Amino acid sequence: MTQAGVGQALAIINITGDSLGITELASRSWVVAAYSLTVGTFILTAGRWGDLFGHKRMFVIGFVWFGSWSILAGLSVYVDQIFFDFCRAMQGIGPAILLPNGIAILGTLYPPSPRKDMAFAMFGSVAPGGASIGAVFASIFAQFLWWPWAYWAMAIACFMIAIVAWVVIPACPRKDDKDELFQRLDGLGSIFGVGGLVFVNVAWNQGSTIGWTNTYTYILLIVGLVLLGIFAVIESRAAHPLIPRTILNAKLGFVLGCIACGWGTFGIWVYYSFQFLLVLRGQTPLLTSAQFVPCAVSGLCAAVTTGVLMSRIRHAYIMLTALLCFTVGTILVATAPVEQTYWAQTFVSMVITPWGMDMSFPAGTLILSAALPREHQGLAASLVSTVVNYSISLGLGFAGTVEGNVDKDGSDVLKGFRAALYMGIGLASLGVAVAALFTIVTRPRKKT
């Protein structure tokens, strides 16, 4: 459902933009960035909510929240762009609650075993499929009915799943603690951490829209960095920190660094691939969505393969392979000629890139899940999911800044798109370097 929220917005982004009067292509990236921003930012605290109030309860609440703001997103057709972007941001808090608590439920129900490896791999496999399904149905509603129905249909699905989840999912254990609720939630840490992440992200995405010559863009970035610095100080002294100091080590940094580079690249790849097909090749939203369907099939194959490999080879090799897939997939789209047939580079990219998604996500999640105790499974999921979704939004800000500087007057759209994708290639290549170093550092030492 999280990636369905991305797919539905991307497929009909130009129809929605025309309806709401969003004339600049760069400004339309906020439709995706606002959603991914809150998904990535609030996951940091949503895992803690599940630890304290119950993962099942928060899982159901997440779907209800998602559905409620989906209704309002559709109603924004009667308002304006600002209200729509706000609704998209609020909509993202729903998946932010769903992701860590859904993964925590799996982590609680399955003990460490090959079966758990496969469960986490299959959980990750639904991302490409969800994006494809969301894109296809949104395209059908937008082309043949009315684009708000894409969001209203999402709301109906969310409410139905919430009811089923409440009936089917068994109750999960909650952490019993006598400390005050605000202290257990790490209230101050949550406020400064979330605030810092929001300010930094907004600065980069606004910078890509209005340019970096505007003073308030720098002010947003500086305030965000200051808030994150205060967050670090608070966490070092908190009784119940969002990120326990005991799990902070070089291995964790390598894993999250790989995921950040890979999924930041994914955000750039998926946004500019859609725009390349919609704008430059002049395709309809439905045809473009159909051309993304191979991602779902390839993602399922990748998930099954990863589930088998997780218990057989080192996780570092899986992570390195994932980053190579992100890199190659982005290169194929960045260099594809506009007049070229879909079945050449574009199709191959649709097959390769999902392997990056469905190899890196379960590998990173299982590494952290194994490192944390049972009562902190929500935190394990929070760390990975935060980096995944925040990186998507931040990556779009980076790419949008590059696009805006290369194609300042909008006269050479192709050149701007390619420049943004080259930014993605550079980010993925950095991830490959980090993954290769991680592979070397974590290699087993031979006994002498």
Side-chain angles (χ1 to χ4, degrees):
M1 294 298 289
T2 303
Q3 296 305 319
V6 174
Q8 71 170 171
L10 276 173
I12 60 174
I13 190 169
N14 294 328
I15 293 177
T16 306
D18 293 339
S19 174
L20 296 174
I22 309 175
T23 56
E24 295 182 6
L25 289 178
S27 298
R28 296 183 180 186
S29 65
W30 261 117
V31 175
V32 179
Y35 175 82
S36 295
L37 165 61
T38 49
V39 173
T41 302
F42 283 88
I43 286 175
L44 192 67
T45 55
R48 175 62 57 84
W49 300 342
D51 288 337
L52 296 178
F53 303 123
H55 298 301
K56 174 183 176 180
R57 179 179 299 174
M58 295 308 304
F59 189 74
V60 173
I61 289 174
F63 271 113
V64 173
W65 180 281
F66 197 178
S68 299
W69 282 99
S70 295
I71 292 175
L72 292 174
L75 291 174
S76 65
V77 68
Y78 299 111
V79 192
D80 57 18
Q81 172 196 354
I82 295 176
F83 182 72
F84 178 66
D85 288 342
F86 177 76
C87 289
R88 284 288 293 169
M90 292 297 102
Q91 195 183 16
I93 297 177
I97 300 172
L98 290 173
L99 274 170
N101 290 289
I103 299 176
I105 291 171
L106 289 179
T108 302
L109 295 178
Y110 290 95
S113 62
R115 187 178 180 186
K116 181 177 181 178
D117 294 345
M118 184 60 70
F120 272 84
M122 295 307 295
F123 186 94
S125 73
V126 299
S132 298
I133 292 172
V136 168
F137 277 95
S139 299
I140 292 173
F141 285 122
Q143 283 187 227
F144 302 108
L145 191 57
W146 196 24
W147 72 260
W149 270 107
Y151 292 93
W152 295 335
M154 173 71 83
I156 294 171
C158 287
F159 293 140
M160 292 178 63
I161 295 174
I163 295 172
V164 174
W166 182 258
V167 174
V168 173
I169 297 175
C172 298
R174 289 185 293 172
K175 185 179 179 180
D176 187 17
D177 199 312
K178 297 181 180 180
D179 291 337
E180 292 183 0
L181 180 61
F182 189 76
Q183 187 178 16
R184 285 184 289 161
L185 289 172
D186 189 18
L188 282 177
S190 299
I191 293 170
F192 282 95
V194 169
L197 290 173
V198 168
F199 274 98
V200 170
N201 199 297
V202 169
W204 276 102
N205 279 284
Q206 275 296 90
S208 67
T209 303
I210 65 174
W212 284 89
T213 56
N214 197 308
T215 305
Y216 97 90
T217 304
Y218 291 98
I219 293 175
L220 287 174
L221 182 60
I222 293 170
V223 171
L225 293 175
V226 170
L227 290 177
L228 289 177
I230 297 173
F231 168 73
V233 173
I234 292 174
E235 292 300 280
S236 68
R237 302 175 181 178
H240 301 276
L242 288 175
I243 306 175
R245 294 179 294 277
T246 54
I247 69 169
L248 299 178
N249 52 49
K251 185 176 182 180
L252 176 69
F254 275 124
V255 172
L256 295 184
C258 291
I259 292 174
C261 291
W263 284 84
T265 302
F266 167 75
I268 297 170
W269 173 83
V270 71
Y271 177 78
Y272 285 97
S273 292
F274 261 104
Q275 289 292 68
F276 180 77
L277 297 174
L278 289 169
V279 177
L280 296 177
R281 290 188 176 172
Q283 298 179 175
T284 64
L286 186 57
L287 175 58
T288 301
S289 300
Q291 291 182 349
F292 270 82
V293 169
C295 291
V297 179
S298 181
L300 179 61
C301 295
V304 173
T305 303
T306 303
V308 173
L309 293 177
M310 286 291 293
S311 58
R312 288 174 168 78
I313 65 174
R314 290 173 53 203
H315 296 164
Y317 292 140
I318 295 177
M319 195 66 74
L320 178 58
T321 304
L323 268 298
L324 288 170
C325 290
F326 280 126
T327 305
V328 174
T330 308
I331 290 173
L332 289 170
V333 172
T335 58
V338 175
E339 301 79 10
Q340 187 184 61
T341 177
Y342 162 78
W343 298 104
Q345 289 176 235
T346 309
F347 172 73
V348 177
S349 178
M350 301 294 175
V351 173
I352 292 177
T353 307
W355 284 76
M357 300 167 61
D358 288 318
M359 296 187 83
S360 62
F361 186 86
T365 302
L366 285 171
I367 290 171
L368 296 187
S369 180
L372 292 176
R374 185 183 181 91
E375 65 269 18
H376 284 309
Q377 289 299 304
L379 176 59
S382 296
L383 285 171
V384 176
S385 298
T386 292
V387 174
V388 163
N389 290 280
Y390 191 79
S391 298
I392 292 174
S393 184
L394 195 60
L396 282 173
F398 294 160
T401 298
V402 173
E403 178 194 0
N405 280 277
V406 171
D407 183 26
K408 293 182 179 181
D409 57 358
S411 60
D412 195 341
V413 177
L414 176 61
K415 186 177 181 180
F417 284 2
R418 290 205 191 284
L421 286 163
Y422 293 154
M423 169 69 212
I425 294 171
L427 192 60
S429 299
L430 175 62
V432 171
V434 173
L437 183 58
F438 176 60
T439 303
I440 295 172
V441 171
T442 60
R443 71 183 186 279
R445 297 175 181 266
K446 294 182 179 180
K447 295 182 179 180
T448 57

